[in-house]
Amino acid sequence: MGVRGWLKFLTEYDSPKYIRMQSVTWGFVKCLLYVTVALSVCCIVIIYRLYEETDEVNSSVRTNVKGVAYTNDRIWDTAEYTIPMQAVNSFFVMTNIIKTENQFEQRCPEYPFGKAICSSDKSCEKGSVNIHSHGIQTGRCVNYNATVKTCEVKAWCPVESMEKPPEPAVLRSSEDFTVLIKNNIYFPKFNYTILNVPANLNSSCTYNKITSPLCPIFRLGDILQEAKENFSEVAVKGGIIAIEINWDCNLDSFYDCNPKYGFRRLDDKKIQPGFHFRYARYYKLPNGKEQRTLFKVYGIRFDVLVFGTGRKFNGVELIKNIGSMISYFGLVATAIEIAICLCNCSRCSKSPFYKIYNRKKYETLLNPRQVMFVSYVDEPHVTLIKKPLKTSLQHAQGSIVESHPVKFYDAGSCCTSQSNENLDNEEYELGRPLRQGAFSPDCQKWCCCGNCQPTEKYHEQLCCRRTEGPCITTSHWFLQLVLSSHTLRKALLYEDPFLNLTDGNINNQLRHLAYKQYVHWRFGSFDLEDRAVIPSCCRWKIRDTYPKAGNDYTGFKME
Ligand code: ZN
Ligand code: ZN
């Protein structure tokens, strides 16, 4: 695109053209759809709160477990049963324990599980380690007790017995322990911080879903109950429980920012439930030997999960969201277009309304190389003939097109009510295929007026009329409008006031202008003017009046 192209592009705007249909049905459908879309948009905005700006929560959690128990002749306080966890936002409460005391690093018989049981030294392989072993085999088979022999191992002895955890759980009374959860949250977008501990907290409160839903002190038994679990059952093998804190904060004038607590079990109840791990306490004896006590502890790990959203009304957000939904209104037009299309394909297409609609809506662009237009003096319309011609142009089949001659016919043959009726019919029947054999059989081959010149070329075999009768060249108007030297000269001077009319070449200009005059008269002005074919009789009459030196006429250009 050159500078001119860009300039044109910058100084122009193309506005789409619409077809307005006068139709109660479609008008009603349109209104209905617009109202539906408008209501849907409103509902979506309200339900999904699209008028608010949102921000995700940032949070930190601190926990504080309290409670003392007395079992197995031992006092269990916080330091005993809460073992620090590696995980973030988690705390652990021990509920059950298997203790193996006074272990030394030496040789002893392995615990009698399947592969460790032996009958002689041959069954034990020196240096081998099994996945369940407590140590490295020495290759000897020794007595575990009076009845069972097992392979000897180098390990922390005596080895831990692989028995099931005690039932009921040692620390089942930890059900009454409480935990205080402090949860700070922050919404960076709104620069807003809040703590889940109310300012006027009654420090002796305990969380209850109904009576005190905002109290941040939880009884462990209640947590398990809310998670629909039985504490004494879970206490045996342990488990993992999620404490969910959900903040849904409205920071507008209707201020509402309180946490909601939820509880559920995270480890699978059916497939290998429980949570346990081991740790040891080491001692150095006066003789320098190291001794340890091994603990296998079972307990409940509590994971505190914080999530939530802060919301605040924001006009820009509302406009942005509504803007993005305005495109839904475009769906209305698309839906109606599709419905009309379907209607067009079905039986409705026969109704005159849709015929006019189709004509107004779709403009067919013709390829000028493939068409010719002809007009007969005894027919009130222009006929479109498509190439290639297989017979004379006079006999070629074509279709009627809406064009100027309709108006011309209206003005020319004037004023009778009959012609008006014809006109109306014509309007509805435009585009129908032309009846074949409409020409008179009396016509000589293809000429009906008797003035046409014989020619071999199909596209030149065209007469001024379809039925036998007087030639148009003999009419008064042909002489006046097309042939009259006076009229043509006037028209030439009108275009170029200083034209030299005495010039020897003036005949060529007059002849071409006469062709043009004929086309305007009989076809009217339209896009493909140069595809209008002038009948042979007229063409030769014009040529004879304004001849060309040498008589080599170009004729109608086929390409
Ligand atoms: Zn003729
Ligand atoms: Zn003629």
Side-chain angles (χ1 to χ4, degrees):
M1 200 157 31
V3 180
R4 260 167 178 255
W6 279 110
L7 213 65
K8 201 168 167 324
F9 176 75
L10 287 173
T11 52
E12 279 177 354
Y13 168 69
D14 301 329
S15 172
K17 188 175 166 181
Y18 292 99
I19 307 261
R20 178 167 293 155
M21 292 169 76
Q22 304 271 352
S23 159
V24 178
T25 318
W26 294 116
F28 182 72
V29 169
K30 173 193 78 180
C31 291
L32 196 75
L33 290 178
Y34 273 133
V35 169
T36 313
V37 170
L39 284 177
S40 314
V41 166
C42 289
C43 287
I44 291 170
V45 166
I46 291 166
I47 292 170
Y48 292 96
R49 300 199 208 173
L50 297 183
Y51 48 87
E52 286 175 334
E53 190 182 11
T54 60
D55 193 15
E56 289 301 307
V57 71
N58 283 9
S59 104
S60 73
V61 172
R62 286 165 294 160
T63 58
N64 200 347
V65 186
K66 283 192 174 152
V68 180
Y70 180 77
T71 54
N72 292 10
D73 296 330
R74 188 186 168 111
I75 290 284
W76 298 86
D77 65 2
T78 313
E80 295 275 315
Y81 59 76
T82 59
I83 296 156
M85 285 275 103
Q86 303 291 324
V88 184
N89 295 352
S90 282
F91 64 95
F92 175 80
V93 174
M94 183 200 296
T95 54
N96 215 351
I97 189 163
I98 297 172
K99 202 157 51 162
T100 314
E101 289 181 301
N102 304 327
Q103 282 189 325
F104 290 100
E105 210 181 335
Q106 58 190 39
R107 289 157 191 258
C108 56
E110 176 62 285
Y111 183 81
F113 62 89
K115 282 190 174 172
I117 297 168
C118 60
S119 48
S120 68
D121 289 353
K122 279 180 192 165
S123 320
C124 301
E125 192 190 336
K126 191 180 174 183
S128 88
V129 181
N130 187 276
I131 193 158
H132 297 295
S133 314
H134 290 94
I136 297 160
Q137 290 190 9
T138 57
R140 288 176 59 205
C141 187
V142 294
N143 286 331
Y144 178 76
N145 54 29
T147 51
V148 183
K149 283 178 96 176
T150 59
C151 291
E152 189 190 55
V153 285
K154 186 166 170 40
W156 284 92
C157 297
V159 296
E160 184 191 56
S161 67
M162 292 167 109
E163 58 196 31
K164 285 187 173 169
E167 215 166 328
V170 177
L171 261 164
R172 61 190 172 282
S173 55
S174 58
E175 167 169 32
D176 292 320
F177 295 174
T178 57
V179 59
L180 166 66
I181 299 175
K182 289 181 198 161
N183 177 208
N184 273 80
I185 60 155
Y186 175 56
F187 293 114
K189 248 193 217 173
F190 309 125
N191 192 21
Y192 181 82
T193 312
I194 190 172
L195 181 67
N196 70 328
V197 183
N200 53 350
L201 173 73
N202 172 8
S203 58
S204 61
C205 74
T206 312
Y207 171 84
N208 182 292
K209 202 175 182 180
I210 294 146
T211 55
S212 53
L214 292 179
C215 177
I217 301 169
F218 304 86
R219 189 176 156 270
L220 300 190
D222 292 347
I223 293 178
L224 272 280
Q225 204 181 355
E226 284 284 324
K228 295 183 179 67
E229 295 293 331
N230 183 324
F231 192 91
S232 348
E233 260 174 45
V234 178
V236 176
K237 284 188 170 178
I240 302 171
I241 302 284
I243 300 173
E244 294 168 343
I245 307 179
N246 189 0
W247 296 86
D248 192 1
C249 290
N250 186 342
L251 305 177
D252 285 318
S253 42
F254 317 105
Y255 174 87
D256 167 32
C257 190
N258 283 317
K260 278 192 189 67
Y261 299 98
F263 312 92
R264 64 195 167 86
R265 187 166 183 174
L266 289 181
D267 61 321
D268 200 303
K269 236 159 66 167
K270 290 179 185 121
I271 308 155
Q272 296 203 334
F275 181 73
H276 69 263
F277 57 91
R278 290 181 179 81
Y279 76 97
R281 282 189 192 144
Y282 295 83
Y283 315 95
K284 205 111 185 178
L285 298 180
N287 61 6
K289 256 192 139 179
E290 209 173 10
Q291 184 194 338
R292 78 174 194 191
T293 304
L294 177 70
F295 300 93
K296 181 176 183 184
V297 296
Y298 296 84
I300 303 173
R301 195 183 81 194
F302 294 91
D303 291 350
V304 184
L305 311 173
V306 183
F307 45 92
T309 325
R311 305 167 181 282
K312 210 169 192 178
F313 176 81
N314 188 323
V316 175
E317 203 71 16
L318 177 66
I319 291 167
K320 221 164 70 184
N321 284 319
I322 288 185
S324 69
M325 273 187 285
I326 277 178
S327 57
Y328 295 143
F329 285 95
L331 288 178
V332 173
T334 313
I336 293 179
E337 285 297 317
I338 291 170
I340 292 175
C341 222
L342 290 176
C343 225
N344 252 333
C345 302
S346 67
R347 60 199 157 79
C348 306
S349 59
K350 285 189 183 114
S351 91
F353 180 77
Y354 287 100
K355 277 190 179 171
I356 296 178
Y357 168 79
N358 279 336
R359 209 176 64 234
K360 291 281 180 194
K361 174 99 181 167
Y362 301 103
E363 243 178 74
T364 313
L365 274 189
L366 296 167
N367 182 347
R369 289 176 169 216
Q370 289 168 2
V371 296
M372 283 178 278
F373 294 96
V374 297
S375 168
Y376 301 104
V377 70
D378 49 356
E379 284 189 348
H381 43 69
V382 171
T383 304
L384 168 78
I385 311 269
K386 287 189 179 160
K387 289 205 289 183
L389 290 176
K390 287 182 184 126
T391 168
S392 70
L393 187 53
Q394 179 81 5
H395 295 158
Q397 221 179 333
S399 52
I400 295 167
V401 290
E402 181 188 24
S403 189
H404 176 79
V406 175
K407 293 172 203 155
F408 156 77
Y409 198 72
D410 189 24
S413 71
C414 200
C415 320
T416 61
S417 63
Q418 203 193 347
S419 77
N420 281 339
E421 256 169 45
N422 281 345
L423 228 178
D424 287 349
N425 288 339
E426 209 50 64
E427 270 244 272
Y428 290 129
E429 299 194 4
L430 291 165
R432 75 193 151 86
L434 202 63
R435 296 178 305 279
Q436 231 185 346
F439 59 91
S440 162
D442 304 332
C443 295
Q444 278 289 321
K445 275 187 180 172
W446 54 269
C447 175
C448 297
C449 70
N451 285 344
C452 298
Q453 301 252 357
T455 170
E456 287 302 308
K457 293 175 186 163
Y458 281 151
H459 70 272
E460 286 180 1
Q461 295 177 359
L462 180 71
C463 185
C464 62
R465 50 190 309 131
R466 279 183 89 78
T467 51
E468 225 161 289
C471 180
I472 193 169
T473 56
T474 61
S475 75
H476 169 72
W477 284 113
F478 186 83
L479 297 174
Q480 281 294 311
L481 295 172
V482 181
L483 227 50
S484 158
S485 162
H486 184 66
T487 312
L488 294 175
R489 278 164 194 271
K490 255 199 222 170
L492 281 179
L493 281 173
Y494 186 78
E495 272 174 28
D496 181 1
F498 298 104
L499 187 73
N500 182 7
L501 290 175
T502 54
D503 187 2
N505 265 341
I506 198 71
N507 257 6
N508 286 343
Q509 291 195 42
L510 287 171
R511 188 175 64 253
H512 288 136
L513 188 61
Y515 292 151
K516 229 187 202 174
Q517 288 282 96
Y518 180 83
V519 171
H520 275 220
W521 177 41
R522 297 303 310 164
F523 293 82
S525 315
F526 62 111
D527 294 340
L528 298 174
E529 258 174 67
D530 61 336
R531 303 311 295 169
V533 187
I534 301 167
S536 173
C537 49
C538 305
R539 192 173 282 275
W540 281 106
K541 184 81 183 173
I542 294 167
R543 282 175 181 173
D544 290 343
T545 315
Y546 305 106
K548 187 181 184 182
N551 274 2
D552 53 334
Y553 298 106
T554 324
F556 179 78
K557 281 185 194 128
M558 280 300 270
E559 290 306 321

